[in-house]
Amino acid sequence: QVQLVESGGGSVQTGGSLRLSCAASGYIYSDYRMGWFRRAPGKEREGVASIYRGGTRIYYLDSVKGRFTISQDNANNTLYLQMNSLIPDDTAIYYCAARLPGDKWDDGYWGQGTQVIVSS
């Protein structure tokens, strides 16, 4: 079992920054893919960024490229999402997730989410 706990959400104005953290516990396989997702009010969940624990194959949603950076501290089993130049469209609940290669994200592990609100 893997437990994921997000933190770092909050309310900021347009142009502001936030750093989300995801603390993972349990047995974290070295080949897990780790990701950040978000769900805005009235919208479908979307993948924001993801990375293999080995640091390869980094993915970003087009709308966050150049503004968000995913990183990880494997020694401390922590995943980060640095969010800069935030805009109101970034308002959502952000979730951390982990899955094995070949699995669907829905079959992986998920955190409880952290709220991000960006005001204009």
Side-chain angles (χ1 to χ4, degrees), residues 31-48:
D31 56 351
Y32 267 0
R33 189 156 183 85
M34 308 295 295
W36 288 98
F37 292 75
R38 67 186 183 188
R39 187 189 300 274
K43 295 185 178 180
E44 296 289 321
R45 185 186 72 195
E46 60 183 356
V48 176

Side-chain angles (χ1 to χ4, degrees), residues 39-92:
R39 187 189 300 274
K43 295 185 178 180
E44 296 289 321
R45 185 186 72 195
E46 60 183 356
V48 176
S50 58
I51 186 172
Y52 278 111
R53 277 180 57 85
T56 59
R57 297 189 64 184
I58 297 175
Y59 160 84
Y60 290 105
L61 182 69
D62 282 347
S63 62
V64 308
K65 285 180 180 177
R67 301 189 298 121
F68 290 10
T69 303
I70 189 171
S71 63
Q72 56 192 349
D73 178 354
N74 287 342
N76 292 301
N77 287 333
T78 304
L79 182 73
Y80 301 100
L81 185 68
Q82 178 66 44
M83 306 188 295
N84 299 328
S85 302
L86 285 161
I87 59 177
D89 281 351
D90 295 321
T91 295

